[in-house]
Amino acid sequence: MDQDEKLRDLTRAVWASVLCFVAGAIVGAVILRGDPRPLTGEGSIALPIAAIAGIITALAFAASSFLHRQGDRHPMPRWQSLVSDLSAVALTLALGAVTFMGVLLATEVLDAGLQGVQLAAIGGGLLAGVAAAVGGRFAFEAGVGLNTTVLTGLLFGFIVIGTLFAMITAADPRWWEANFSQLGTGSWAFNGTLVVAGLLVATVGSYIGRDLHRMLGDTALPRIAVVVALWAATGMALAAVGLLPVHVTPTPHNVVAIATLVLFIAAAILTVTTVPGPPAVLAVTSLGVGLLVAIAIVLWKPFSIYSLTVFEAIVIGLGLLWMTTLVRVLAILAPSHSRPSSRSSLLHAA
């Protein structure tokens, strides 16, 4: 990408921010007309503003994808184009959900610092405009240069945002004495976070498959398909953890939680062994993370040095650390240009 093209993309992103702000402010002012409302709580502006920003963010990503990557699909066979379209739809929904949850968390923080403040239509509309501009700008730029690294950062950020919001709004302030699943007791926030995080994990897996195909070509498609399928299964299992709250269906919840961990390990091992090489940094990180998880298990169960909640946080953190290393390696190794497959079918050569 040359200098002029980068400047054109930046100009488009600025205009996208302006349009998102204007759209969010107008829609917000119309929806919030009437008496002033508090930031959070019953009858507040938080949910309407979050919904407006989430929808506008999703539309901004869809528009950016159409402008910048529409040409990539034309040379692709139908199956590859379908995979690309499904990934784009999943990511569009995920970006809207990330913005929605981020705005809810931001309003909770603002409410804690601005206790008693109430906003009328104009003030609420301006706040909606700002939220839509921030989310829309990020989504528009993601559509310009979307890669696996951006997706993993989005996954990490969303898990943090969703978990923090669930903590702030938790019905049981002592949930941490049990485990993270207790956050989902009567709380849509944590359960919804797991569902969207599962969607993001599956989408990351699709883009991992894209990067592997760009490196290895059509000859590796059968193995790459298994890699993508394992990541999709991991995402589905994680979403099922949120759809089956522990206080409603304890046994199925525990089963899919264990399945998520097993599928993640299987997907990680197959991905590492599929990456050509693999580079020393990826191999060392994978072995190091595996060793640290083993140590964490020993310190948790036999020695009871910390609770299950702490153990879960350690495992999740190590898993995200490993994924970050993986996608950075893929970003370095994989060509940046699209690679249409020469196969008319995923399972059979042309």
Side-chain angles (χ1 to χ4, degrees):
M1 184 181 294
D2 59 24
Q3 190 178 66
D4 290 339
E5 189 175 355
K6 289 181 180 179
L7 288 173
R8 282 195 300 270
D9 287 341
L10 178 59
T11 301
R12 285 180 175 179
V14 171
W15 278 110
S17 303
V18 173
L19 291 175
C20 289
F21 174 81
V22 172
I26 292 175
V27 175
V30 171
I31 291 179
L32 298 174
R33 65 186 182 278
D35 296 333
R37 305 187 192 186
L39 285 172
T40 62
E42 187 176 354
S44 67
I45 66 172
L47 280 175
I49 287 179
I52 292 167
I55 292 171
I56 290 176
T57 296
L59 292 174
F61 176 75
S64 180
S65 297
F66 180 81
L67 285 173
H68 298 98
R69 299 204 312 279
Q70 186 69 13
D72 293 347
R73 297 168 58 254
H74 294 317
M76 293 180 178
R78 186 173 181 179
W79 67 266
Q80 191 179 19
S81 178
L82 179 61
V83 171
S84 178
D85 289 342
L86 288 175
S87 299
V89 170
L91 187 53
T92 301
L93 296 174
L95 280 166
V98 170
T99 302
F100 177 81
M101 196 68 75
V103 173
L104 290 180
L105 177 60
T107 53
E108 290 287 342
V109 174
L110 286 174
D111 188 58
L114 303 172
Q115 295 185 17
V117 69
Q118 293 189 337
L119 296 177
I122 299 299
L126 291 174
L127 191 58
V130 171
V134 173
R137 174 64 174 268
F138 175 81
F140 192 87
E141 291 186 336
V144 176
L146 185 63
N147 55 46
T148 320
T149 303
V150 173
L151 285 178
T152 304
L154 184 65
L155 172 63
F156 178 81
F158 180 67
I159 290 176
V160 172
I161 290 171
T163 303
L164 288 176
F165 179 72
M167 289 179 182
I168 292 175
T169 59
D172 180 12
R174 302 185 71 86
W175 63 269
W176 52 271
E177 294 180 350
N179 50 54
F180 272 101
S181 293
Q182 291 301 120
L183 270 178
T185 303
S187 171
W188 63 267
F190 186 70
N191 296 326
T193 296
L194 293 178
V195 173
V196 177
L199 182 65
L200 276 170
V201 168
T203 307
V204 169
S206 174
Y207 280 87
I208 287 174
R210 183 198 69 173
D211 289 348
L212 291 173
H213 178 251
R214 288 180 177 181
M215 287 188 287
L216 301 172
D218 286 348
T219 56
L221 273 177
R223 187 177 181 87
I224 294 172
V226 177
V227 171
V228 173
L230 278 174
W231 284 113
T234 304
M236 291 173 61
L238 181 58
V241 175
L243 293 172
L244 300 170
V246 68
H247 67 289
V248 178
T249 54
T251 300
H253 176 91
N254 292 331
V255 169
V256 292
I258 295 172
T260 301
L261 179 59
V262 172
L263 287 167
F264 180 87
I265 293 172
I269 292 174
L270 187 58
T271 302
V272 171
T273 55
T274 303
V275 174
V281 63
L282 180 58
V284 171
T285 301
S286 300
L287 291 174
V289 167
L291 178 61
L292 289 174
V293 169
I295 294 173
I297 293 174
V298 172
L299 294 178
W300 164 53
K301 204 59 177 175
F303 294 101
S304 300
I305 292 178
Y306 41 67
S307 66
L308 175 59
T309 304
V310 175
F311 171 72
E312 290 176 333
I314 292 172
V315 172
I316 293 170
L318 290 173
L320 290 173
L321 171 65
W322 176 85
M323 285 192 72
T324 301
T325 304
L326 170 68
V327 298
R328 292 295 297 274
V329 168
L330 292 177
I332 294 171
L333 297 180
S336 59
H337 56 274
S338 176
R339 183 171 189 171
S341 174
S342 61
R343 294 193 176 195
S344 58
S345 169
L346 179 60
L347 300 178
H348 304 288

